[in-house]
Every structure is written in C-alpha cells, then in structure tokens.
C-alpha cells in the first residue's frame, strides 16, 4: 500500500486520539476561531450602527423641533427606519454569537459562565428595553405629539449604550479576569460585580462607545457624500443631502480626536497590564533600553520609551522575554494595530478639515468644504472607519492569544472537542452571505423611496454652496 493511501488512515487515527483526549483537531480548532472572528466582525459593525444611528436620528429630530425644518424631520424618519432594519439583523447576528459561545467554546462557558453571566443577563434586559422603545418610536410617527415622540427615542439611545457597555465588561474581564478564585481547578468565591468592574472595563467601554459613534457617523455621512458628488456633477444644490451629510459627519468629527485620547489611554493600559500584547503591537522583538517608535518603514530612536515613560532611555520588555508558547502571532497583531492607527489619523485629518472650514465659516463667512476632493475622501471615510474598527478588534483579540482568559485559560482548552466544527463555519458563511444580500436589498429600497421635502418654514442660514 502506498504512503499516500496511508495518510487518511493516519489522520483518522490522530483525530480519534484527539477526540479521546478531549482535544479538537487543528482544523476544527482553527475553524472555530475563524467562525467566531467572522461572526463577531460582522456583528460589531451592526452594533456600532445600532449605537450611533439612534443618536444621530434624535439629533436630527431635535433640530426639527427647534427650527420647524421639515428636512431634519424627514432625515430622522428615514434614518430610524434604516436603524430598525439593521437592529433586526443585529439581533439575529447577536443571537448567533450567543449560541456560538456555548457550541464552540463549552469549556469556557462551563468553567467561567457563572462569573460573567450577570453581565450577559443585564445586556439582555437592556436589549429588550431598546427593542420595546424602538418599536414605539417607529410606530409613533404622526401618532404621538412631537415632543412625546422625541422622548420615546431617548431610551433607545440609553439602552443601546448600556447594552454595549455590559457586553464590553465580559471582553474586558477576559483581558483582566477578576471576581473569582481558582481552587484545585474549580471556580469559587464568585463576585459578579467585581468581574464586571474590572480594571479594563473603563478604558474598553469608552474606547468602544467612541469608536461606535465615530464609525456610524462616518458610514452614514459617506452615503450622502456620494449623493453630493452626483449633485456637484449635475450642477445642482440639494439641501437635503447637505444636511444629511453634515449631521452624521459632525458626530464622527467630534468623536475622532476624543478617540485618539481614548486610544492612547488604551495603549498605556495594555503596556502596564498586558506587556506581551504591547510588545506585539509595537513590534518590540527584543528587550531594550531606549526603544524606538516604529511605524511601517519609519523609525524614531528612543521615541517609544519616551512616549510611555517620559524617559528616552527606559527599558521596555520585548517578545523574547516571554516563553515562546505564550506569545501572540506578532505579525498579525502588529499589522492590524498599524492599520488602525493609520486610518484613525487619516480620519482625524479629515475631521480637522471639516472643523477648520466650519470655524472659518463662523468667523469670516467662508464656505464649508464642499470641494469634490473633500467629498471623495468623505465617501471613503465610512469604509475606512469600519476597517479601523475591525483592525482594532483584531489587535485586541489576537493580541490576547493564546489565552481566552488572560493568564488563566488557554483557547485550546475552551474549544469544543467534538469533530466537524469546520462544517459549521461553511454553513455560517453561506447564511451570512444571504443575510447581507437581503439587508442591502432592503436598505436600497428604503433609499429609493425618497419623498420631496417642502421648504423650511423658518429662515435658516444655508448649509453651504458648492465650490
């Protein structure tokens, strides 16, 4: 018998040994990680829009109440309809994630579910409140008084922020586990509140909420930037598109510098509490005094040590100071971190362009930046912000490897040992492809149902004129 013919028998024997020992095969283990990464990456963008779009909608409705401008009212209607569609899709993808926690990672849930289960329960309550008031808000158009209708949208925003915050406490706990003791491999003395209020919770919650508002603002604005480019080529001025761009883009522009500060806070926290992840993020291969700051092909001597400690000769630990089996995949972490930083700086520069133009308009009567090049960059800002968020999550999750609970449980100890996990990945890819196509189709139908908006009933300065 040839050696090639023996390969299936050998692989089958190895799989049988792994199954008997309670370990998943390498293919199933990788499939479980890929499935979790894909579904989480899909859901995080929907969650960001679910956090940001109701806030943008309420801002537009508030402007409508103050000015009586029908353009703001129409934008609020359309945005909340889109939010309702994406909320339903997000509920589906979130439910899939909940099932995956049990089916893909039963070792993690069996051992530590009692520690962080309270956070998931609170997230479920916040989700139900958000869903209830989302329905009231959508149904209440033209059925409630304007102020009462506006008030029904406030719980949607608050519940969305709370829901995201409770989920973040679980992820922050995975990075900084607290609220329990391990005695002979068993979890005892569980304190759910201490688990939720762990050292990583404040920094991760602030970072995620700002990122969500920023991503949503730039994604929505990018749609109207494309419409404004068409208006510019046609030689017309559409006030509806200009306001539709200005409101969400302003939100993204305000969050951009705040996110830079939150990102610096997060990096310093990682340096102090997860030095191995920090070394992978910054590409510090060897422990050295006066570590340089490296970004792509650029290098500034002693800069990284100085930025962290204000001492240009401070010693920073490198990856070589940690056991090989405890190191994350450095190239993946480093690349994703650099992508996040590069796109964040680009979005900050675009926000600065917008802010400077707004300031000049207020002081000197200059125009807002409706130049085609600004609009082209703004049209790309939504995709750039989404990629930056995905890169940030990749940095956070891959940088924690090989631990699913940092320093306590390794990822391979948590995975489902049963065979066939890779087939679940294939099914999820097909289902999510259908879900994405259906969602885009519904949103395109909403976009085509644009109604002419009457002129504003009060005199308000124009948003700008094309250059």
């Amino acid at each position: 018998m040839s050696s090639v013919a023996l390969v299936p028998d050998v692989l089958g024997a190895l799989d049988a040994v792994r199954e008997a020992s309670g370990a998943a095969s390498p293919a199933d283990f990788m499939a479980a990680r890929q499935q979790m990464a894909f579904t989480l990456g899909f859901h995080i963008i929907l969650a960001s829009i679910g956090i940001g779009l109701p806030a943008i909608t309420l801002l537009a409705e508030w402007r409508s109440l103050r000015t009586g401008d029908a353009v703001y009212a129409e934008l609020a209607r359309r945005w909340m309809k889109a939010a309702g569609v994406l909320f339903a899709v997000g509920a589906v993808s979130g439910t899939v994630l909940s099932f995956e926690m049990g089916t893909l990672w039963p070792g993690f849930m069996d051992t530590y579910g009692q520690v962080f289960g309270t956070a998931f329960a609170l997230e479920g309550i916040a989700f139900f409140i958000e869903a209830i008031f989302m329905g009231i808000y959508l149904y209440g158009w033209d059925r409630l008084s304007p102020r009462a209708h506006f008030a029904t949208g406030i719980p949607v925003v608050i519940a969305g922020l709370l829901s995201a915050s409770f989920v973040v406490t679980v992820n922050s706990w995975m990075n900084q586990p607290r609220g329990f003791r391990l005695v002979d491999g068993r979890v005892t003395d569980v304190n759910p509140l201490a688990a939720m209020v762990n050292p990583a919770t404040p920094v991760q919650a602030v970072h995620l909420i700002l990122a969500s508002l920023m991503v949503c603002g730039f994604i929505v604005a990018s749609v109207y930037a494309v419409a404004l480019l068409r208006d510019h080529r046609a030689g017309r001025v559409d006030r509806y598109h200009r306001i539709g761009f200005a409101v969400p883009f302003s939100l993204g522009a305000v969050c951009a510098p705040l996110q830079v500060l939150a990102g610096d806070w997060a990096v310093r926290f990682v340096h102090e509490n997860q030095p191995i992840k920090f070394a992978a993020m910054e590409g510090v291969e060897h422990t050295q005094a006066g570590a340089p700051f490296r970004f792509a092909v650029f290098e500034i001597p002693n800069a990284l040590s100085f930025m962290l400690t204000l001492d240009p000769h401070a010693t920073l630990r490198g990856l070589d100071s940690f056991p090989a089996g405890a190191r994350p995949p450095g190239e993946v972490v480093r690349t994703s971190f650099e992508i996040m930083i590069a796109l964040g700086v680009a979005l900050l520069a675009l926000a600065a362009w917008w802010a400077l133009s707004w300031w000049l308009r207020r002081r000197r009567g200059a125009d807002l930046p409706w130049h085609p090049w600004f609009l082209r960059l703004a049209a790309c800002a939504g995709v750039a912000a989404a990629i930056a968020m995905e890169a940030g999550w990749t940095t956070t999750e891959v940088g924690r490897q090989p631990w699913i609970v940092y320093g306590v449980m390794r990822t391979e100890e948590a995975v489902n040992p049963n065979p066939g996990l890779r087939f679940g990945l294939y099914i999820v890819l097909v289902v999510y492809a259908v879900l994405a196509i259906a969602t885009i189709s519904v949103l395109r139908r909403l976009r085509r149902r644009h109604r002419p908006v009457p002129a504003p009933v009060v005199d308000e300065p124009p948003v700008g004129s094309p250059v």
Side-chain angles (χ1 to χ4, degrees):
M1 183 181 294
S2 67
S3 59
V4 175
L6 286 172
V7 170
D9 294 333
V10 173
L11 291 178
L14 289 175
D15 285 341
V17 170
R18 292 190 189 98
E19 185 176 352
S21 62
S25 69
D28 283 332
F29 178 54
M30 183 56 65
R33 293 185 62 186
Q34 290 173 341
Q35 181 176 334
M36 198 72 189
F38 174 78
T39 51
L40 180 60
F42 187 97
H43 180 74
I44 194 64
I45 301 302
L46 294 174
S48 299
I49 296 174
I51 294 170
L53 196 51
I56 296 172
T57 300
L58 281 192
L59 180 59
E61 188 173 7
W62 173 75
R63 288 288 296 165
S64 173
L65 292 175
R66 286 202 61 183
T67 66
D69 193 335
V71 172
Y72 287 103
E74 178 63 17
L75 284 167
R77 282 178 179 265
R78 299 191 66 191
W79 286 340
M80 207 57 175
K81 288 180 180 178
V85 173
L86 295 173
F87 180 84
V89 179
V92 173
S93 60
T95 302
V96 171
L97 281 171
S98 299
F99 280 109
E100 285 178 344
M101 294 292 287
T103 58
L104 298 180
W105 313 105
F108 172 60
M109 296 298 292
D110 289 345
T111 305
Y112 295 106
Q114 59 182 314
V115 182
F116 57 79
T118 301
F120 278 145
L122 293 174
E123 189 275 336
I125 294 172
F127 173 80
F128 285 131
I129 294 174
E130 184 182 8
I132 290 168
F133 280 94
M134 174 80 75
I136 295 173
Y137 187 90
L138 289 171
Y139 185 76
W141 284 106
D142 303 324
R143 293 177 174 87
L144 299 173
S145 67
R147 293 187 181 278
H149 182 263
F150 176 81
T152 63
I154 296 175
V156 178
V157 177
I158 295 174
L161 293 174
L162 289 175
S163 178
S165 299
F166 290 135
V167 171
V168 169
T169 63
V170 178
N171 186 266
S172 61
W173 175 84
M174 293 165 70
N175 286 292
Q176 291 292 303
R178 297 290 190 278
F180 68 97
R181 288 196 312 119
L182 277 178
V183 178
D184 296 329
R186 298 180 63 85
V187 173
T188 62
D189 299 334
V190 174
N191 185 341
L193 182 60
M196 292 174 60
V197 189
N198 62 77
T201 293
V203 59
Q204 285 198 212
V206 171
H207 198 45
L208 174 71
I209 290 172
L210 286 174
S212 298
L213 295 173
M214 183 175 166
V215 167
C216 181
F218 285 131
I219 285 177
V220 176
S222 66
V223 176
Y224 290 91
V226 174
L228 286 169
L229 281 171
R230 289 199 301 263
D231 293 342
H232 189 275
R233 287 194 293 267
R236 63 174 182 263
V237 177
D238 192 327
R239 187 169 178 273
Y240 176 87
H241 289 153
R242 293 197 170 193
I243 294 177
F245 174 86
V247 173
F249 193 87
S250 296
L251 177 64
V254 168
C255 290
L258 298 177
Q259 182 69 320
V260 171
L261 298 176
D264 179 72
W265 181 20
V267 170
R268 293 178 185 277
F269 181 87
V270 170
H271 169 251
E272 294 175 1
N273 296 276
Q274 291 180 301
I276 188 170
K277 180 191 288 188
F278 176 82
M281 289 164 52
E282 297 289 355
V284 183
E285 295 290 340
H286 308 286
T287 300
Q288 57 185 305
F293 174 76
R294 299 185 181 92
F295 189 87
V297 297
F298 302 100
E299 180 175 319
I300 304 176
N302 300 81
L304 186 59
S305 292
F306 179 77
M307 287 190 295
L308 288 170
T309 66
L310 298 182
D311 179 3
H313 303 293
T315 299
L316 299 183
R317 293 184 66 181
L319 288 172
D320 61 352
S321 66
F322 300 94
R327 300 173 194 170
E331 286 300 320
V332 176
V333 178
R334 173 73 173 160
T335 301
S336 61
F337 182 66
E338 288 188 343
I339 290 173
M340 180 186 66
I341 296 298
L343 292 177
V345 170
L347 292 171
L348 179 64
L350 194 62
W353 186 351
W354 175 259
L356 178 62
S357 300
W358 180 86
W359 182 80
L360 291 174
R361 178 174 179 260
R362 298 275 294 182
R363 293 293 298 270
R364 306 177 188 177
D367 195 18
L368 288 174
W370 301 119
H371 191 280
W373 270 111
F374 173 81
L375 294 176
R376 291 188 187 102
L377 293 174
C380 299
V383 174
I387 293 174
M389 171 164 271
E390 299 287 5
W393 272 105
T394 300
T395 303
T396 298
E397 297 303 293
V398 178
R400 193 180 61 244
Q401 298 304 315
W403 305 99
I404 191 169
V405 183
Y406 186 68
V408 177
M409 173 179 274
R410 296 175 69 93
T411 308
E412 62 264 25
E413 296 173 342
V415 72
N416 191 333
N418 293 317
L421 296 183
R422 53 190 178 273
F423 299 110
L425 171 63
Y426 306 147
I427 295 172
V428 164
L429 291 175
V430 173
V431 171
Y432 272 61
V434 174
L435 185 63
I437 293 171
T439 303
I440 293 171
S441 176
V442 172
L443 292 177
R444 285 176 61 86
R445 287 178 177 272
L446 288 177
R447 180 181 63 85
R448 287 196 294 265
R449 295 177 59 187
H450 171 56
R451 299 194 302 263
V453 180
V457 297
V458 296
D459 186 19
E460 183 185 18
V463 175
S465 58
V467 176

